[in-house]
Amino acid sequence: MTERDTLHLVDGSGYIFRAFYGVRPLSTSTGVPTNAVTGVARMLGRLLKEEQPSHLGVAFDRPEKTFRHQLYPAYKANRDEPPEDLVPQFALVRRLVEAMDIPVLEIPGFEADDVIATLTRLAVERGMQVVIVTGDKDLMQLVGDRVTIYDPMKEQRIGVAEVHARFGVPPERVADVLALAGDTSDNIQGVPKVGPKSAATLVAAFGDVEAVIRGAAQAAKPKAYERAVVEHQEAARLAKRLTVLAADAPLGLDLDALRYAAPRAERLGPLLRELEAFSLLRDFGWSSAAPAEATPGDTPAPAAPVEGGIDRTRYRTILSLSELEAEVQAAFTAGEVSVDLETTSLDPTRAEIVGVALCVPGRAAVYVPLAHRYLGAPKQIPRPEALACLRRLCEAPAVAKLGQNLKYDQIVFAGAGITLAGVRHDAMLAAWVLDPARPSYSLDTLAREELGHETIRYTDVTGKGAKQIGFDEVPIAEATAYAAEDADVALRLCRHLHAKITAAQLTVYDELEIPLLPVLAEMERTGIRLDLTALRRLAAELEQRLAQVERRAHAMIGEPLNLASPRQLAALFFERLKYQPVKKTKTGYSTDQEVLETLAREHELPGVILEHRLLAKLKSTYTDALVRMVHPLTGRVHTSFNQTGTATGRLSSSDPNLQNIPVRTEDGRRIRAAFVPEPGWVLVSADYSQIELRLMAHLSADPSFVEAFHQGEDIHLRTAREVLTGGAQPTPDQRRQAKAINFGVLYGQSDFGLSRQLGIPRLEAEAFISAYFARYPRVRAFCDQTVAEARERGYVTTLAGRRRFLPDLTSKNRNLRLAAERVAVNTPIQGSAADLIKLAMIRLAAALRKRRLRARLLLQVHDELVLETPAEELAALTEVVRQEMTGVAQLSVPLIVDIGHGPTWADAH
């Protein structure tokens, strides 16, 4: 053993909990929770890769009582039982460590920290370096010249200087500070009136606990905390015995037994496949297939979703019409096919087809190049003949179509005169329904995380940056490997993910999201007309007003300043003008919207800055951008509706985002006035009236809410009378306050948030909320029950059965936990509203076809649908819209739809 040898000791017990709360909920297809074991596996894998330890061990607590319990029976008695989903993972983590060939370190009667302390002492005595892998402050008492702490979750290394900076004392005195201050996590009481700062002061002044007791007793003018030390000196001594780590635990282990090499595929691979941790298999450099050297008794790998492994050498290029016809016939025989297009643009309304990839179950995937244009490219099937052959397949509803982001392919096909019928599965949508908080739904990510397969990336074949080429310039052999793999992987993912959806009984996928996909595709392809003259006129006016506001601000400041610079504004407000700071970020004092609104209550200048920001945003985001985004051929703007854009189920829109145009300002209305119908047509706006409050009434079954909606009352006036005025007629301001409370409850707003919104004292806001729940107890019961059930199950559901997982409901961080509780209350309401309007869109699109009306769905914005119709069909359309939107669900309160029409969107709304 040499001085270069380093012993890495992992606090296994601590990391199980950190991984559980730090990794989103995960489970196998059979329902076994795996987030904690996955998190520990990632941490250990990263540790092996980055640290390359020569010696390694993972320490665990034992279930038996320890010597500390004998000293103090209430030791750790305040700890809650571990979450239900964590309990089965304790054994899985132990199996993981053993499968990685890492020594498991534990001693009956001692904690993991004592094991680490003992091994640290032995290693230092042998001249080794020691790295303790932990986030536990108790282990900081072991830090020294040869001992450091590494916290991989925070990417933080802690040495003697860092310990001194945190505790105000050297590492060997950390246990004394912890003893005097107490440790609530371990139920160590310490000394009353002594906190971490006063404890550090005492220890720095006198020494260890015994020296502190003597020094406090001899103080001429003892402070309150010094008198407390003398009065509770036995408690201080007991706390020290509980806090100091035992470095003499009976290990019976030689340090040479901790020498480490690397994990072996034949041991670790089967466990990772059992856990369906395919991305970890890739991280360790192994494929998702079973290892050739698997030993008897290993858990077999789950069945592949499609026969055979992913083998790019089997993919074929189709260059003749007869071969394409054979592949199309095979798809008809199989009854399903995976489809993937390669095109010239990410914008589906402007994209031209370069090639088509197909994957029929049981066959190798193929690529049909149509428009590869590079020197030496082989002759390809003439485009008209190829598309005619593909049309027969694409337009056959009896052949199920599978793929990834098929809405894009549907729009591109439509541009080529082909209707993609029979859309059955979409891997992106399936992954989102299973986990709407997933950070990415790209095919590359899903293949890696769900199948353990690393795909060829687009930039691998096209290059990047200035040297990037179009896909039509990619050699056909490379294009085939890339495109056929996409179709192959999409087919496997669709089957794999739909099995999970079926097991979880998430019918929202088959009954709502898949049927909505072609509706959205048609809306995106249709687009909406713009009055460009009106937009350009408004843009010029905004430019003038911006200049006026800027001159006004500069006059107030006394010099020119970049009003768009947060750094310059922060310096102006908080250094020069001495405004009271509102909040601080890592880079300094914030000047965001919330801060400016707060400052504007007391100062004039922040209000001017707010006005400048609003005008600048309207001009850059809408008046300027919309003009640029008009399609040169259609003369319309074509937004993209994102099904996977939110965790609640609501649609979002992008390029451009049409859902955030201000509706309560004159400028916002003027922007909406630039959206116009076809000549001779009218725009129709259909908006659910107070849909979220109606859903609150239905879900809570509060009799007062239900009665108000059945009577057609103004719900905000009624709330004002019953909560704020004691039955008297409310003023307009009181109705405004009641409206804020009604909607605040939906979003779990706190008294602090309500006080800021209404500009009233916090105690008054608290009294409003208390009076509200006293008057509407069923609403309070609904909120409490929803949170309780979500905490137990780990997720909330909407009326359609959509799930949203909320791991922070069990977080130790109070702010995270409260935020999760607010989301738990809001999601069933906002998510159910999203479900209803999606269902309305599906029903309405079908009704328009059935009635043979020419009207077209154009936009969906929150609770509103925008259509255009020939003027002569307006009455018939209004009847259909009202019937379909009010009939989507049978609630305990009526669904009301406000329908308007006019020559512009502003007039119709």
Side-chain angles (χ1 to χ4, degrees):
M1 195 169 293
T2 70
E3 287 194 8
R4 286 177 295 179
D5 287 331
T6 301
L7 171 61
H8 284 70
L9 295 170
V10 179
D11 175 15
S13 293
Y15 266 99
I16 292 176
F17 284 90
R18 295 186 77 186
F20 179 79
Y21 291 112
V23 178
R24 62 184 174 86
L26 296 171
S27 62
T28 66
S29 56
T30 59
V32 177
T34 60
N35 58 326
V37 64
T38 299
V40 172
R42 287 174 180 162
M43 185 274 292
L44 290 174
R46 180 180 173 188
L47 182 74
L48 295 176
K49 180 179 180 180
E50 296 182 357
E51 298 288 296
Q52 299 183 349
S54 63
H55 296 70
L56 177 63
V58 178
F60 291 103
D61 291 332
R62 294 277 301 178
E64 304 93 348
K65 301 288 185 182
T66 69
F67 71 91
R68 292 182 178 85
H69 292 91
Q70 297 174 4
L71 292 171
Y72 182 51
Y75 180 66
K76 292 188 177 181
N78 60 331
R79 294 198 174 183
D80 297 330
E81 291 295 316
E84 183 179 346
D85 280 359
L86 177 58
V87 173
Q89 298 190 69
F90 288 119
L92 288 175
V93 170
R94 183 179 294 271
R95 284 181 59 195
L96 169 77
V97 174
E98 292 171 347
M100 295 182 73
D101 289 324
I102 302 174
V104 171
L105 309 171
E106 56 185 5
I107 305 173
F110 292 85
E111 296 179 58
D113 289 1
D114 301 315
V115 176
I116 291 173
T118 301
L119 282 167
T120 296
R121 176 182 60 81
L122 294 174
V124 170
E125 290 174 356
R126 294 278 294 272
M128 298 178 68
Q129 298 289 328
V130 179
V131 177
I132 302 172
V133 184
T134 186
D136 188 353
K137 65 181 183 304
D138 294 346
L139 286 163
M140 292 185 185
Q141 61 187 277
L142 303 177
V143 171
D145 292 340
R146 290 181 174 270
V147 182
T148 57
I149 282 177
Y150 171 49
D151 185 347
M153 287 193 173
K154 295 183 178 179
E155 297 188 356
Q156 183 180 26
R157 294 189 184 272
I158 299 171
V160 173
E162 288 76 17
V163 172
H164 202 290
R166 173 167 178 174
F167 287 96
V169 297
E172 60 270 21
R173 288 287 172 260
V174 167
D176 299 287
V177 171
L178 295 175
L180 292 170
D183 188 343
T184 55
S185 65
D186 289 340
N187 202 33
I188 298 175
Q189 302 304 312
V191 176
K193 300 182 181 179
V194 176
K197 289 186 178 180
S198 52
T201 299
L202 288 167
V203 172
F206 300 113
D208 63 14
V209 165
E210 289 298 332
V212 167
I213 293 171
R214 291 193 300 271
Q218 296 169 5
K221 294 181 179 180
K223 297 180 174 63
Y225 58 78
E226 290 174 325
R227 288 195 299 271
V229 168
V230 176
E231 293 171 8
H232 300 277
Q233 54 186 280
E234 289 307 317
R237 292 188 176 100
L238 173 61
K240 174 65 180 290
R241 294 173 69 187
L242 296 172
T243 303
V244 71
L245 299 181
D248 55 356
L251 273 173
L253 178 73
D254 189 88
L255 290 174
D256 289 328
L258 302 183
R259 188 172 289 279
Y260 191 71
R264 293 175 291 166
E266 64 270 22
R267 288 208 64 192
L268 180 57
L271 176 61
L272 295 182
R273 282 185 290 277
E274 176 187 338
L275 299 174
E276 299 176 14
F278 301 118
S279 63
L280 286 171
L281 282 163
R282 191 267 310 165
D283 290 344
F284 280 104
W286 308 321
S287 72
S288 58
E293 302 176 10
T295 57
D298 280 342
T299 304
V306 183
E307 290 184 10
I310 295 175
D311 182 359
R312 297 179 186 126
T313 63
R314 298 175 61 235
Y315 299 150
R316 294 185 296 116
T317 305
I318 287 183
L319 295 173
S320 72
L321 186 60
S322 60
E323 288 181 292
L324 178 57
E325 289 172 341
E327 204 65 30
V328 167
Q329 186 56 50
F332 272 98
T333 302
E336 66 177 2
V337 62
S338 174
V339 182
D340 179 72
L341 290 180
E342 301 305 332
T343 68
T344 58
S345 172
L346 291 175
D347 181 347
T349 64
R350 304 181 187 222
E352 296 287 339
I353 298 175
V354 173
V356 183
L358 303 172
C359 185
V360 176
R363 295 171 63 90
V366 301
Y367 178 61
V368 187
L370 299 180
H372 282 260
R373 304 178 182 89
Y374 59 88
L375 187 63
K379 184 179 180 181
Q380 297 151 62
I381 305 172
R383 184 184 183 89
E385 295 178 18
L387 291 180
C389 183
L390 288 168
R391 179 179 292 106
R392 185 166 67 90
L393 172 63
C394 290
E395 297 188 347
V399 181
K401 311 307 187 301
L402 292 72
Q404 164 81 1
N405 190 17
L406 281 175
K407 177 161 65 70
Y408 174 90
D409 299 78
Q410 193 155 30
I411 298 170
V412 176
F413 268 129
I418 297 173
T419 300
L420 187 64
V423 171
R424 184 66 188 87
H425 289 303
D426 189 302
M428 181 177 73
L429 288 181
W432 173 70
V433 167
L434 285 165
D435 184 0
R438 200 169 192 148
S440 172
Y441 301 97
S442 72
L443 189 73
D444 297 331
T445 300
L446 294 178
R448 180 170 61 251
E449 295 183 355
E450 297 292 338
L451 304 178
H453 176 72
E454 196 68 39
T455 56
I456 303 171
R457 297 176 185 273
Y458 184 79
T459 53
D460 292 338
V461 294
T462 62
K464 300 179 182 178
K467 295 184 179 180
Q468 187 174 51
I469 60 175
F471 201 83
D472 56 353
E473 300 175 79
V474 174
I476 286 179
E478 295 178 26
T480 296
Y482 168 80
E485 180 186 59
D486 278 1
D488 185 4
V489 167
L491 176 63
R492 295 168 187 262
L493 280 170
C494 285
R495 291 185 162 191
H496 171 72
L497 294 172
H498 194 251
K500 289 187 175 184
I501 284 174
T502 302
Q505 298 182 322
L506 290 168
T507 58
V508 67
Y509 171 76
D510 293 295
E511 296 177 1
L512 203 61
E513 298 301 339
I514 288 296
L516 182 66
L517 188 154
V519 177
L520 294 177
E522 185 60 28
M523 290 169 63
E524 290 185 22
R525 186 162 179 265
T526 301
I528 187 168
R529 290 185 72 239
L530 290 174
D531 182 342
L532 297 182
T533 301
L535 275 176
R536 292 189 177 106
R537 187 185 307 119
L538 179 57
E541 181 183 320
L542 290 175
E543 183 74 33
Q544 293 178 348
R545 288 164 59 190
L546 270 169
Q548 293 171 357
V549 173
E550 191 170 39
R551 286 193 296 270
R552 182 176 157 207
H554 290 165
M556 296 173 69
I557 297 167
E559 61 181 347
L561 188 75
N562 182 0
L563 303 185
S565 168
R567 187 180 298 275
Q568 291 186 37
L569 287 178
L572 171 68
F573 289 159
F574 309 118
E575 295 176 17
R576 178 176 157 188
L577 300 178
K578 306 298 182 184
Y579 290 172
Q580 181 65 38
V582 178
K583 64 181 178 181
K584 194 173 184 180
T585 67
K586 292 181 179 179
T587 58
Y589 291 117
S590 172
T591 59
D592 65 13
Q593 178 87 4
E594 181 184 359
V595 169
L596 289 179
E597 289 174 353
T598 301
L599 294 175
R601 294 174 190 152
E602 299 182 12
H603 309 282
E604 183 182 1
L605 179 58
V608 177
I609 304 299
L610 275 172
E611 183 181 358
H612 185 273
R613 281 191 184 176
L614 176 60
L615 293 173
K617 181 177 180 180
L618 289 175
K619 185 175 187 301
S620 63
T621 306
Y622 296 111
T623 58
D624 292 350
L626 287 173
V627 171
R628 292 195 303 268
M629 300 182 84
V630 170
H631 196 289
L633 297 180
T634 68
R636 292 177 167 240
V637 64
H638 301 265
T639 187
S640 295
F641 292 102
N642 308 311
Q643 277 179 275
T644 62
T646 70
T648 60
R650 274 191 167 186
L651 293 170
S652 63
S653 80
S654 57
D655 302 320
N657 179 358
L658 300 181
Q659 299 198 334
N660 290 336
I661 301 174
V663 295
R664 294 183 178 86
T665 66
E666 179 59 29
D667 289 322
R669 284 188 287 271
R670 290 179 66 186
I671 291 173
R672 286 192 170 210
F675 289 79
V676 295
E678 284 288 310
W681 292 41
V682 294
L683 287 183
V684 175
S685 169
D687 197 349
Y688 276 121
S689 173
Q690 299 178 327
I691 182 65
E692 292 184 347
L693 290 172
R694 292 173 189 272
L695 283 165
M696 171 64 87
H698 173 75
L699 293 170
S700 68
D702 186 272
S704 188
F705 259 67
V706 172
E707 180 190 15
F709 284 120
H710 274 292
Q711 297 296 328
E713 292 185 52
D714 182 325
I715 188 65
H716 304 312
L717 277 178
R718 179 163 183 154
T719 298
R721 278 198 308 270
E722 295 185 341
V723 175
L724 303 179
T725 70
Q729 182 63 22
T731 65
D733 190 58
Q734 287 170 325
R735 183 189 181 278
R736 179 182 66 86
Q737 291 178 331
K739 182 177 181 180
I741 298 171
N742 276 331
F743 283 106
V745 169
L746 297 181
Y747 291 89
Q749 191 174 44
S750 65
D751 51 8
F752 176 72
L754 184 63
S755 71
R756 296 192 67 164
Q757 181 180 349
L758 296 179
I760 60 177
R762 187 169 181 177
L763 287 177
E764 187 176 348
E766 183 180 6
F768 281 179
I769 294 174
S770 297
Y772 183 93
F773 285 128
R775 182 63 189 84
Y776 305 129
R778 290 283 188 90
V779 174
R780 171 83 277 174
F782 163 75
C783 295
D784 293 342
Q785 183 179 352
T786 300
V787 171
E789 290 178 354
R791 186 172 284 117
E792 180 180 344
R793 296 184 302 186
Y795 60 85
V796 290
T797 60
T798 67
L799 287 179
R802 188 185 309 280
R803 293 179 184 176
R804 183 175 183 179
F805 294 93
L806 298 170
D808 285 340
L809 283 173
T810 55
S811 174
K812 301 293 185 183
N813 184 310
R814 181 175 181 273
N815 290 335
L816 291 178
R817 188 172 64 254
L818 292 177
E821 289 177 1
R822 291 193 290 271
V823 172
V825 172
N826 172 248
T827 295
I829 299 169
Q830 189 180 101
S832 293
D835 293 342
L836 293 183
I837 200 162
K838 284 181 173 180
L839 184 56
M841 294 167 71
I842 295 168
R843 289 170 53 118
L844 189 52
L848 293 178
R849 288 194 301 272
K850 183 177 180 181
R851 297 279 292 269
R852 296 185 178 180
L853 295 175
R854 289 181 290 164
R856 300 179 291 205
L857 272 166
L858 303 182
L859 302 177
Q860 189 274 334
V861 180
H862 305 313
D863 305 323
E864 176 190 9
L865 295 179
V866 179
L867 306 91
E868 66 178 350
T869 180
E872 62 271 19
E873 294 183 1
L874 177 61
L877 175 65
T878 301
E879 176 192 344
V880 170
V881 169
R882 195 178 307 280
Q883 178 180 332
E884 298 303 331
M885 290 186 71
T886 58
V888 291
Q890 295 299 313
L891 304 182
S892 60
V893 297
L895 281 174
I896 303 297
V897 179
D898 297 325
I899 302 176
H901 66 275
T904 74
W905 186 9
D907 293 312
H909 185 72

